[in-house]
Amino acid sequence: MHPLPELTAFLEGLPEPHILLDTQYRILAANAAYRRQFSAQGSVVGRTCHEVSHHFAVPCDQAGESCPLAQSLHSGQRERVLHLHHTPRGEAYVNIELSPLPGPQGGPGFFVEKMESLRMAGAQPEAAALIGRSGAFQRMLALVARVAPSSANVLLLGESGTGKELVARAVHEASNRAGHALVAVDCASLPETLFESELFGHERGAFTGATHARDGLVEAANGGTLLIDEVGDIPLAMQVKLLRLLETGTYRRVGSTELRHADIRVVSATHRDLAAMVDERRFREDLYYRLSTFPIALPPLRERTGDIALLVPALLARVAAPRQFSVSPAALALLERQPFPGNVRELRNLLERTTLLCDGNCIEIEHVQLALDTGLRSPKALAPADCAPARMPVPTQPLHDNALRQALARHHGSRAELASQLGISERSLYRRLRELKTPGASPSAIGSS
């Protein structure tokens, strides 16, 4: 069975790479954009798609990848997957969209496959901001690629240092808002008294020191994307006003009665367990559901097997320029054995410290070991146990009321010291003490200095 000439001519005029396949994965036609992409391999017509794009001898689903053609044969519908293709520039991530065309007997006869390269990510150290090829990374990237072109609100969940801001930028740049601004608001660094003014702006005379009117971050993001970083730190009073913005697209400047409109897409990020905070009534349930239309979990570095080898040269190029470094196999193996609880941020810091300890152009295992030994997490860098003051452990889970009461009973220092030991901000501690409402738990019961 041969494709209609009209169909082949239609594909030829499309700007994105397209091919026409039969049910045996054979390429029956390829448009100019596809031929240009794979011109180094000679003629592609008559060969299988998995041979050309993946250098596989068998279909993708038999080589550990998802195969849109196999999925379409099973479902009878259009299928979309993210693949890692061989290109003249090396391996690159490509969105594959495959549509079945009915044959004379009613079943699928041909398949049209469209390819769209992802500029926001790659599997090469020099390719893009988001770098990786592990299964955990690819699953995360597939979700980013699927949601980015839409207008849905995105909630990025992950440990500190996993690259939430980079993923937020990738979502923005792959959307139809890429021509407008991506504006970030860091909820953890904003005092509660300034939060509303920073977000929505204020009028002249709205409060002491407001000598002139000022636009807020929402206004700066109009037409683009607003990144709400550390959204779990938003004060409860402000959560109501943020909810109104998300539900109606309207807000008011501080000191104004005028209702303003904002055309924004919201991407929020947090390392906290928002669902647990909802259960503890420290985060509004309605706001949680508004923000988490499309949640994406960012994998920690320890789950990204093999990605350190890709990240190391890319990070070295960023932290050590204009110096150029190579990394010995032994040094790379030592890096790959580290747990990196601080994730990519910790790896970056370690590499920068390593380059400062290396006088040559090749990083050896002794340079990495010395950088590890001088790090804060190294036992050699810590004070002896008999000299170090006792500290309560920083909780890895949300701080419950009983845990806070126990911490209060043990603590005799300042409020700032207690907040630091609990791993929360002083403002959050003050708010939790007010919510606790138990004798001796008032904010004034602990020194403020």
Side-chain angles (χ1 to χ4, degrees):
M1 186 168 56
H2 297 283
L4 295 173
E6 294 86 349
L7 177 58
T8 304
F10 172 74
L11 296 180
E12 186 69 22
L14 297 176
E16 303 89 358
H18 281 74
I19 53 176
L20 190 66
L21 302 167
D22 64 13
T23 57
Q24 302 303 311
Y25 307 92
R26 287 190 296 264
I27 300 176
L28 303 178
N31 71 353
Y34 187 93
R35 295 195 302 271
R36 282 194 300 270
Q37 183 165 328
F38 295 100
S39 58
Q41 300 185 34
S43 176
V44 296
V45 175
R47 298 164 62 189
T48 60
C49 55
H50 48 81
E51 176 197 353
V52 173
S53 61
H54 291 76
H55 299 177
F56 289 164
V58 295
C60 301
D61 57 331
Q62 298 176 34
E65 283 201 15
S66 55
C67 176
L69 196 151
Q71 293 176 4
S72 185
L73 282 171
H74 177 73
S75 69
Q77 301 177 5
R78 184 180 67 169
E79 297 289 346
R80 202 168 107 185
V81 300
L82 182 72
H83 271 184
L84 195 55
H85 273 189
H86 287 275
T87 73
R89 301 181 306 279
E91 288 183 312
Y93 283 108
V94 179
N95 252 334
I96 305 293
E97 186 176 297
L98 182 135
S99 302
L101 301 178
Q105 307 301 322
F110 303 112
F111 300 87
V112 174
E113 186 173 275
K114 170 188 172 184
M115 278 140 284
E116 184 179 11
S117 296
L118 291 187
R119 296 183 299 274
M120 61 188 179
Q124 312 270 348
E126 68 280 3
L130 291 176
I131 300 167
R133 61 173 303 142
S134 64
F137 177 85
Q138 291 194 38
R139 287 189 292 273
M140 180 271 293
L141 189 61
L143 294 175
V144 171
R146 188 167 287 270
V147 74
S150 75
S151 59
N153 292 333
V154 179
L155 175 61
L156 304 177
L157 303 165
E159 298 175 6
S160 179
T162 48
K164 293 186 286 293
E165 188 168 348
L166 287 178
V167 174
R169 182 166 295 280
V171 170
H172 172 71
E173 291 180 352
S175 73
N176 57 8
R177 296 175 177 269
H180 297 275
L182 169 67
V183 178
V185 50
D186 184 1
C187 303
S189 65
L190 280 178
E192 185 170 352
T193 53
L194 296 179
F195 196 96
E196 184 176 5
S197 172
E198 285 292 315
L199 197 60
F200 299 131
H202 62 256
E203 298 293 345
R204 178 182 177 184
F207 50 83
T208 304
T211 56
H212 58 277
R214 183 185 176 201
D215 294 344
L217 296 176
V218 169
E219 201 157 347
N222 194 41
T225 304
L226 182 69
L227 168 60
I228 307 177
D229 200 9
E230 294 305 340
V231 70
D233 287 346
I234 296 181
L236 277 169
M238 278 303 303
Q239 290 180 24
V240 181
K241 296 181 179 181
L242 179 59
L243 178 64
R244 185 185 304 121
L245 172 68
L246 295 177
E247 289 185 334
T248 67
T250 62
Y251 66 98
R252 289 185 176 89
R253 284 181 173 180
V254 177
S256 173
T257 59
E258 178 188 355
L259 202 61
R260 294 172 176 262
H261 293 266
D263 172 24
I264 58 171
R265 189 219 192 137
V266 172
V267 177
S268 49
T270 184
H271 71 280
R272 300 187 183 278
D273 186 344
L274 289 189
M277 293 178 67
V278 169
D279 292 340
E280 297 168 0
R281 299 186 178 181
R282 294 191 290 127
F283 200 87
R284 291 184 62 98
E285 185 176 21
D286 44 9
L287 177 58
Y288 170 71
Y289 288 119
R290 273 287 177 180
L291 293 171
S292 60
T293 303
F294 199 94
I296 299 177
L298 276 64
L301 190 54
R302 61 184 174 275
E303 295 179 5
R304 296 176 56 179
T305 306
D307 281 355
I308 287 181
L310 297 174
L311 288 165
V312 165
L315 292 174
L316 282 173
R318 296 173 194 175
V319 303
R323 294 177 68 187
Q324 295 183 350
F325 288 92
S326 60
V327 182
S328 72
L332 182 60
L334 178 58
L335 288 169
E336 290 179 328
R337 290 197 298 271
Q338 303 309 307
F340 290 117
N343 295 295
V344 179
R345 183 182 294 122
E346 184 180 355
L347 172 61
R348 176 185 173 127
N349 289 348
L350 176 64
L351 290 174
E352 185 169 8
R353 189 160 65 248
T354 303
T355 62
L356 296 174
L357 295 168
C358 177
D359 294 324
N361 295 322
C362 181
I363 294 175
E364 301 288 354
I365 189 170
E366 58 265 25
H367 301 127
V368 176
Q369 188 61 60
L370 183 57
L372 288 167
D373 290 343
T374 56
L376 291 178
R377 293 187 183 276
S378 169
K380 296 179 181 178
L382 299 178
D386 54 349
C387 299
R391 294 178 64 86
M392 286 175 278
V394 175
T396 57
Q397 300 297 326
L399 186 62
H400 296 284
D401 291 350
N402 287 339
L404 180 55
R405 290 190 181 96
Q406 293 172 9
L408 283 169
R410 292 194 302 264
H411 185 71
H412 303 289
S414 69
R415 186 169 64 221
E417 291 172 347
L418 178 58
S420 175
Q421 292 168 5
L422 292 174
I424 61 178
S425 68
E426 190 173 346
R427 177 166 58 109
S428 298
L429 174 61
Y430 188 90
R431 185 166 62 248
R432 290 300 313 279
L433 292 175
R434 282 191 305 179
E435 294 170 358
L436 202 55
K437 294 182 181 178
T438 59
S442 67
S444 59
I446 302 175
S448 60
S449 61

